[in-house]
Amino acid sequence: MDPTAPLPTLPPAHDLSPWALFLQADPVVKGVMLLLVLASIACWTVIIEKLATLRRLRREARELGAMAAGERVPTTLPERADLAAAALRAGVPEWRAGQGGKETDGEYRARLDGAMRKGVAQALKPAASGLQLLATTGSVAPFVGLFGTVWGIMNSFSGIAASNDTSLSVVAPGIAEALFATAIGLVAAIPAVIAYNRLGASLATLRAEALEAASDLAARLARNAAPSGLTEARPRLRPAE
């Protein structure tokens, strides 16, 4: 071996960082990656907003429960917009109307109970918005990422056939770019599925507690005659969240 001969040059090492894999990917795979990243950002936005909403609704449900367990029956409609106010605005008009001449005590109580539960249910309905996005992302994102992977592997095999080179240095970058799409799909889907299950269960539990408190409040109202001086106040609704 000639010591003066130049050393063979090694092929340049490929950059397999996430950013480099994205830049080197096929345009279709890039589009899949961008779609999954946007879906992940949207899901995290929904998750953070729902956590704040749940915290507020738990506080309002406790206030409704405290009102139902209290000794004093409210004599005015509150101006705030929360679960207790929604229950009172729905039930107080029925309470003021009083029990009909042919209406039994049970029917009167059921009328109040139905009105208050409906008011609380309507107030809780906006809290469920956005959960469909979590469910859709959790079920679809892995398959979207898999589509990007299949497309990338097809392009990689096409490049191998064109170059007639099956060495690992030629195969690895294309396969890594393709598999990166599946990884992004899983990163988007796993938090979405976990959040959907946890948030859905929390909302169901909170809904049951709030409706039970509304029923207790309706039972309290049914046992008391509406005062003649009861006034209604125009509610000031909070901005939509």
Side-chain angles (χ1 to χ4, degrees):
M1 181 176 180
D2 187 1
T4 61
L7 296 176
T9 58
L10 296 176
H14 290 278
D15 186 0
L16 299 181
S17 64
W19 180 245
L21 291 176
F22 171 77
L23 294 178
Q24 298 166 10
D26 180 83
V28 174
V29 181
K30 281 183 180 179
V32 169
M33 293 179 181
L34 285 175
L35 178 64
L36 292 173
V37 169
L38 291 176
S40 180
I41 294 174
C43 286
W44 278 107
T45 302
V46 170
I47 291 170
I48 294 172
E49 189 271 332
K50 293 306 168 190
L51 289 175
T53 300
L54 276 174
R55 183 177 180 181
R56 172 178 60 82
L57 290 177
R58 288 193 185 99
R59 183 180 67 253
E60 294 179 4
R62 289 194 298 267
E63 294 173 355
L64 178 59
M67 181 182 295
E71 298 178 356
R72 187 175 64 86
V73 177
T75 58
T76 59
L77 291 181
E79 297 182 0
R80 62 186 186 276
D82 55 22
L83 295 181
L88 290 175
R89 285 197 296 270
V92 163
E94 301 292 336
W95 182 43
R96 295 183 65 192
Q99 185 174 347
K102 297 182 179 180
E103 193 175 35
T104 65
D105 293 342
E107 291 171 342
Y108 175 55
R109 185 166 53 250
R111 177 158 58 88
L112 290 180
D113 181 80
M116 287 196 162
R117 289 172 67 91
K118 182 178 180 180
V120 171
Q122 289 293 332
L124 288 173
K125 186 178 295 185
S129 63
L131 294 183
Q132 296 85 352
L133 175 63
L134 299 181
T136 302
T137 302
S139 59
V140 173
F143 297 101
V144 175
L146 183 60
F147 168 76
T149 296
V150 172
W151 187 277
I153 290 176
M154 290 171 56
N155 286 337
S156 180
F157 285 164
S158 298
I160 292 172
S163 63
N164 292 323
D165 188 355
T166 59
S167 63
L168 186 61
S169 61
V170 174
V171 176
I175 300 298
E177 295 163 11
L179 293 177
F180 187 49
T182 297
I184 297 178
L186 294 176
V187 168
I190 292 174
V193 171
I194 295 174
Y196 175 78
N197 292 332
R198 294 293 299 274
L199 292 174
S202 298
L203 280 174
T205 301
L206 191 147
R207 176 186 174 88
E209 293 175 355
L211 292 177
E212 182 180 358
S215 296
D216 293 341
L217 182 57
R220 285 190 59 225
L221 291 177
R223 293 192 297 266
N224 295 269
S228 59
L230 186 67
T231 59
E232 296 187 22
R234 183 180 299 273
R236 292 197 299 264
L237 298 178
R238 65 161 57 93
E241 298 185 0

